[in-house]
Amino acid sequence: MNVSQAEFQNMKEEIVKDMISRLMEQRGLTMQQAFDAVYTSRLFEKLSDPKTGLYFQSSGYVYSFLEDELGRNDM
C-alpha cells in the first residue's frame, strides 16, 4: 500500500510519541531520557525507512522491539 510522505511521517510520529510515553511510564525515564532512547535507537532508523513497513504496525508491537534493544543495553 502506498502512502504519501505526510501520511508516513504522521504514522511514524504517532508511534514515536507512544513509545516515549511508554518509556516514561514503564521505565520511569524523564522525557529527555525517553526522547534520547527512542531517537538514538537502531529501531528508530528502521522505523524511519518506509520500506520496513514498521509504520503500519501497532505501537505496542514496535515498542516490543525497542524494549528488546534497550534491554540489551541495560538502560
Side-chain angles (χ1 to χ4, degrees), residues 21-73:
S21 294
R22 286 177 187 240
L23 285 172
M24 291 171 60
E25 192 175 295
Q26 295 177 5
R27 289 190 171 219
L29 299 182
T30 66
M31 186 179 289
Q32 184 62 51
Q33 289 170 323
F35 267 84
D36 290 345
V38 170
Y39 285 109
T40 62
S41 69
R42 289 183 300 273
L43 176 65
F44 182 74
E45 290 178 36
K46 292 177 184 174
L47 182 61
S48 297
D49 181 356
K51 295 176 192 165
T52 66
L54 282 174
Y55 65 99
F56 270 124
Q57 304 301 319
S58 72
S59 60
Y61 178 75
V62 177
Y63 180 74
S64 70
F65 289 107
L66 182 63
E67 282 279 76
D68 288 345
E69 182 178 333
L70 295 178
R72 287 192 303 269
N73 293 333

